[in-house]
Amino acid sequence: MNFDAITVTPYMGNDSVTPYLKYDGKWVIILALTSSIGSKDFQYLPTEDGHLYETVIKKANTWAGADRLMYVVGATKSTEFTEIRKYAPDNFLLVPGVGAQGGSLQDVCQYGITKDCGLLVNSSRGIIYAGSGEDFADAARAEALKLQKEMQVELEKSGII
């Protein structure tokens, strides 16, 4: 298939993740800490290594390096990014939840941006629900451009561009 990345759940262990790492030039994105309210059900459970999401990141880092693994970290968990960056300093983070789900782009960047940016910010709901009438395409485009401009400001503030 012609895609660049796949998102997987790590909870069945390395034998369910590592087969995807065999594809050169492709990324595996592992669920770590999601924006959903239900993330508290499991992702924050205490383990010997901290919260379960921290254990997931630490263990997955033994399967491949930052050049192959990304992690999903929800934008509503922006204050956790500082802790996550201790375990995944060079990994890209796929960050859903900016906008309609309540995540702040500014907070995500403040706590999660790296010297190379390190963030793939997603705002699906904010864009797809920007309009519901005949103007949908224009409203969605306007919302996407607004987010792009906000990201450019954050990149300039951080000195990346």
Side-chain angles (χ1 to χ4, degrees), residues 103-161:
S104 162
L105 178 64
Q106 291 75 24
D107 288 347
V108 165
C109 290
Q110 177 183 347
Y111 298 112
I113 208 162
T114 66
K115 65 179 174 47
D116 299 316
C117 182
L119 302 172
L120 297 173
V121 177
N122 181 20
S123 178
S124 298
R125 289 185 204 172
I127 294 170
I128 64 173
Y129 294 120
S132 60
E134 290 184 23
D135 70 332
F136 167 75
D138 291 332
R141 181 179 191 280
E143 190 62 30
L145 288 172
K146 177 183 162 198
L147 182 61
Q148 180 186 25
K149 288 178 185 171
E150 290 174 10
M151 189 67 194
Q152 182 160 350
V153 168
E154 296 303 318
L155 292 171
E156 287 171 358
K157 282 190 335 193
S158 68
I160 293 173
I161 59 170

Side-chain angles (χ1 to χ4, degrees), residues 16 43 137:
S16 68
Q43 296 165 22

